Amino acid sequence: QRLAPLRVALLADERPFAFRPPDAVLPVGIDVDMLLLTLARLGLPAPTWQRLDAAELPAALQRGEIDLVLGLSESVGWAAALRFIGPIL
């Protein structure tokens, strides 16, 4: 059985980790590269991408619309609701 792609939210322009250049369809950056390489190594499909504002995040999480968030800092105050990983560098 084939797994559905991860639904990834991109919240902020966190260069060089995760950002979407103005002329690009897909985000780029170190975190994006690591995610894509990990998914490929595991034989999983490429993710789908959503761009959200931080204000939209709680409702999207509650509705189960996203699986992973890039571009969110622990200092934002989400530690009680989300599991953070890092630092990677």
Side-chain angles (χ1 to χ4, degrees):
Q1 182 175 345
R2 186 159 168 83
L3 295 175
L6 279 178
R7 298 161 300 169
V8 180
L10 180 64
L11 287 188
D13 187 357
E14 292 284 332
R15 294 170 192 254
F17 301 103
F19 62 98
R20 186 172 298 184
D23 58 343
V25 175
L26 299 174
V28 296
I30 297 167
D31 290 350
V32 174
D33 292 345
M34 288 181 60
L35 174 62
L36 294 175
L37 289 169
T38 300
L39 292 173
R41 180 162 285 192
L42 294 172
L44 297 173
T48 60
W49 299 96
Q50 298 179 41
R51 188 168 183 92
L52 294 177
D53 293 325
E56 299 172 294
L57 181 60
L61 286 168
Q62 197 167 41
R63 290 189 303 262
E65 295 174 353
I66 54 176
D67 303 308
L68 181 69
V69 181
L70 295 180
L72 182 66
S73 171
E74 281 187 76
S75 63
V76 176
W78 295 99
L82 301 175
R83 183 175 302 157
F84 286 87
I85 61 168
I88 58 169
L89 296 179

